[in-house]
Amino acid sequence: MYCSTKQLKKGIPLICRLFMATLLYCLIISISQNVMAQTYIDVPPDGPNEVGSLVTAVEENGADDVIFRLERGGVYWTDANITSVGYHLHIEAAEGEGPPPMIRPAVDLDGVSTHPIHAEGDLTLRGIYYAGLDDVGNWNGNTRLRTENTRGVLDNMHFDFHPCFILRSDADNTSWFISNSQFRHMGQETDPNCGRVFDSRGNNTDSLVLVNNTMYLGTHFVIRPHGGTVNYLEFDHNTVVDWGYQIDIGLSKEVVFTNNLIMNVGFRGNSGREGVGYSDQSLLTFMRADSIEAYNDADRSLVISNNNMGTMLQEYQDVLQEHFVAGEPLWEEPVQDPFLHDQLIDSVGQHLVDIGVLVMENNIEEQENEGLTFTDRPDFQNVVDYVDAFLTDPSQELPAPWDRRDNLDVGVDEWRDFSYNTDAQSYTAAENGFPLGDLNWFPEQLQAWEDGSGPVSAENPETIARAFRLFDNYPNPFNPTTRIAFELANSSEVIMEVYNVLGENVETINLGTRSAGFHTVTYNAHNLSSGVYMVRMQVGNEVQTIKMTLMR
């Protein structure tokens, strides 16, 4: 659940996070309610000299009520696009132990491979290793939503070896919900302007939500909604390490950017050019909305809170500074330094602060190896070599900054461990005392976070009790659903009542007994008319009330 800018100005504690597991569960349930039953199809992996079993299975059996289940440890070569037309494509790993199934592109008789998934309907992927390395060593692969008003739900995925971007929207009003996944090795040796997790390709996005993910070793923007609008952007509890360019907020209207651990982002240096979306030596870049028809800057609401950002290893700083001092800058209009970000937000972001729609608070700058040390991160020298070559001649084939571990294409057991020391400031700097970054690296803390309880303390493993609080709904105004968050100090029975402006009770909902901690409830006002309503929540003898507005 998220707090509004108005709440932050009032000083109410920030509870700006979404229980992603609950959201994804609700998304899948909402889809399953529209079908009579679900059919599971167990797809056998490809054998020696065989390709295309998954492509064929989808072509022959694809439908809303079908879930394609892939064998753990199996490899599925795609000899053509997996394309769904007008139905919900759902592919997941089979239950049980063992490595995840792997999807990889295969080359045809001409030595060319294709992008594996082009969804022309809703898409769900769970528990799969999605490697873009084809069988002759070329990088190829991205996942696309190709029609309007569709959504992609990705959970517990691994993405690797993608030359330009992993997730792409080819139409307006798509939504992406990505959780508990890892992304690495994004980019090309011959094109440094590739290497992104998400790219809207100039299309307008409804929702872009990334929660509890780890991303490392990419060469361009982490996300790029550049050229299109985003109605709602959430970037919460993500770990991003060693990424070439900045994080582009762009023309996002509602933003919740919280609890992230950002290390060594922007190692390629700064363009130094105004008006291209990544100037001003900042880590977060914005665009002004005053020139578009959808909304104005005054209509936006953005929260940047409880992040560790702005840190960079000295080795990266040294090679950047060396090239700047040694010769003529490569940039058309060079800034004072080629990188060395001296601010979190750019000039457009500062404009949004000045007009009162962007709130920034509780962000820290804890340096890697000067307070925080990762358990197992890639060798940074590979990135230093890449930066050195790029600044010398960006047109040359560049030495890839990728992890040099052997057998990178055999499974997820070789992936790095981005847990870090528990005495770091970042370990308790997230909202409500949780660790910053992807909580999957701290399983006990992740479980407490998902349960809605307080963080587990090393000295006292008891969860932290809090008072009863009712927080404003989000979104507000809404149509027809909104989310309401509340916080309990003790296990209690919770009753929620909704009243109209005349004081008439229009609905009473007994939420039952809820445990101590944070909770969210989704309220559906499909049977109500537009107007202002009061939500009255009773916990024992305590009562709190909020106001919400329904706009049809």
Side-chain angles (χ1 to χ4, degrees), residues 60-79:
E60 295 179 350
N61 303 284
D64 278 332
D65 60 342
V66 173
I67 296 178
F68 297 95
R69 204 158 42 186
L70 307 188
E71 183 179 307
R72 288 190 168 273
V75 179
Y76 296 80
W77 296 96
T78 59
D79 56 348

Side-chain angles (χ1 to χ4, degrees), residues 185-214:
H185 298 159
M186 305 294 128
Q188 301 179 34
E189 290 92 335
T190 56
D191 185 0
N193 292 316
C194 277
R196 302 180 282 278
V197 172
F198 169 78
D199 196 329
S200 71
R201 307 307 292 176
N203 295 293
N204 297 324
T205 303
D206 181 28
S207 298
L208 176 60
V209 177
L210 298 99
V211 178
N212 278 323
N213 304 287
T214 295

Side-chain angles (χ1 to χ4, degrees), residues 34-101:
N34 296 322
V35 298
M36 296 299 294
Q38 289 183 332
T39 300
Y40 288 90
I41 294 180
D42 292 311
V43 183
D46 292 316
N49 302 316
E50 295 179 354
V51 296
S53 63
L54 178 57
V55 176
T56 300
V58 173
E59 287 178 347
E60 295 179 350
N61 303 284
D64 278 332
D65 60 342
V66 173
I67 296 178
F68 297 95
R69 204 158 42 186
L70 307 188
E71 183 179 307
R72 288 190 168 273
V75 179
Y76 296 80
W77 296 96
T78 59
D79 56 348
N81 298 135
I82 301 173
T83 303
S84 58
V85 181
Y87 65 88
H88 176 204
L89 175 61
H90 188 146
I91 306 173
E92 63 180 41
E95 296 183 0
E97 301 296 325

Side-chain angles (χ1 to χ4, degrees), residues 89-158:
L89 175 61
H90 188 146
I91 306 173
E92 63 180 41
E95 296 183 0
E97 301 296 325
M102 182 189 299
I103 297 176
R104 292 181 62 181
V107 299
D108 58 20
L109 295 177
D110 295 324
V112 178
S113 58
T114 59
H115 303 309
I117 296 180
H118 286 185
E120 297 184 19
D122 290 339
L123 172 69
T124 296
L125 300 174
R126 294 182 183 278
I128 297 167
Y129 179 16
Y130 189 84
L133 189 69
D134 67 25
D135 44 347
V136 296
N138 296 316
W139 293 24
N140 194 358
N142 56 63
T143 300
R144 302 186 184 190
L145 292 180
R146 305 203 68 180
T147 54
E148 293 185 357
N149 304 311
T150 54
R151 61 190 172 190
V153 178
L154 285 67
D155 183 54
N156 192 26
M157 296 287 294
H158 287 74

Side-chain angles (χ1 to χ4, degrees), residues 269-282:
N270 191 282
S271 73
R273 292 177 297 216
E274 295 287 346
V276 293
Y278 41 92
S279 58
D280 293 354
Q281 299 172 269
S282 61

Side-chain angles (χ1 to χ4, degrees), residues 171-196:
D172 287 335
N173 299 320
T174 59
S175 294
W176 293 91
F177 302 91
I178 304 105
S179 63
N180 306 309
S181 298
Q182 292 197 43
F183 305 81
R184 72 171 182 184
H185 298 159
M186 305 294 128
Q188 301 179 34
E189 290 92 335
T190 56
D191 185 0
N193 292 316
C194 277
R196 302 180 282 278

Side-chain angles (χ1 to χ4, degrees), residues 286-302:
F286 303 79
M287 295 186 69
R288 295 188 69 143
D290 295 332
S291 61
I292 66 174
E293 296 181 358
Y295 55 85
N296 294 318
D297 281 342
D299 301 321
R300 304 169 79 174
S301 175
L302 307 96

